[in-house]
Amino acid sequence: QVQVVESGGGLVQPGGSMRLSCAASGIVFSLYRLGWYRQAPGKQRELVAHITSGESTVYADSVKGRFTISRDDVKNTVYLQMNSLKPEDTAVYYCNAYRALWRVENDYWGQGTQVTVSS
């Protein structure tokens, strides 16, 4: 049984920092591309960042230079370090584990964790 579980959300003031963690089990973690997505009220879910099994990274323009994604394949955990947070970063953040092989896609999501940036 695959489980993807986020943690680390909460309330933070503008300009502050927060680190999200996501632990996955039931998969060969090191083979998956891992991503963080977010969804604000009334908006579509959007990519924040992802990191491949080879540790290549992609970031949304809105978070470049402020957020850092990293992974620990020993702990089966992916992290999102968020600095210089802005009110517009407020959203539910979702962790994703994705792998495509021979036309078979495995795509797993966590339940989400709320991040609120407010004074």
Side-chain angles (χ1 to χ4, degrees):
Q1 180 181 359
V2 178
Q3 287 192 314
V4 179
V5 181
E6 303 98 337
S7 60
L11 174 65
V12 63
Q13 291 188 340
S17 297
M18 179 178 285
R19 189 175 82 157
L20 304 182
S21 301
C22 171
S25 60
I27 59 174
V28 183
F29 187 85
S30 61
L31 299 181
Y32 279 70
R33 187 188 73 192
L34 305 166
W36 287 97
Y37 292 73
R38 67 187 181 186
Q39 187 167 18
K43 295 188 176 181
Q44 289 189 329
R45 189 174 297 189
E46 63 176 2
L47 173 70
V48 176
H50 73 231
I51 183 167
T52 69
S53 57
E55 300 201 19
S56 295
T57 57
V58 170
Y59 293 92
D61 287 344
S62 59
V63 307
K64 282 181 182 176
R66 299 188 298 122
F67 291 10
T68 302
I69 189 170
S70 61
R71 63 189 294 162
D72 185 333
D73 289 349
V74 174
K75 295 181 178 180
N76 286 6
T77 302
V78 59
Y79 304 97
L80 185 68
Q81 177 66 43
M82 305 185 290
N83 299 326
S84 302
L85 282 159
K86 304 175 181 180
E88 51 263 44
D89 294 317
T90 296
V92 178
Y93 283 70
Y94 296 91
C95 179
N96 173 255
Y98 176 84
R99 183 188 183 201
L101 183 66
W102 298 109
R103 300 182 183 179
V104 175
E105 292 186 327
N106 298 111
D107 196 12
Y108 303 108
W109 292 88
Q111 80 289 350
T113 185
Q114 176 70 46
V115 173
T116 302
V117 184
S118 175
S119 55

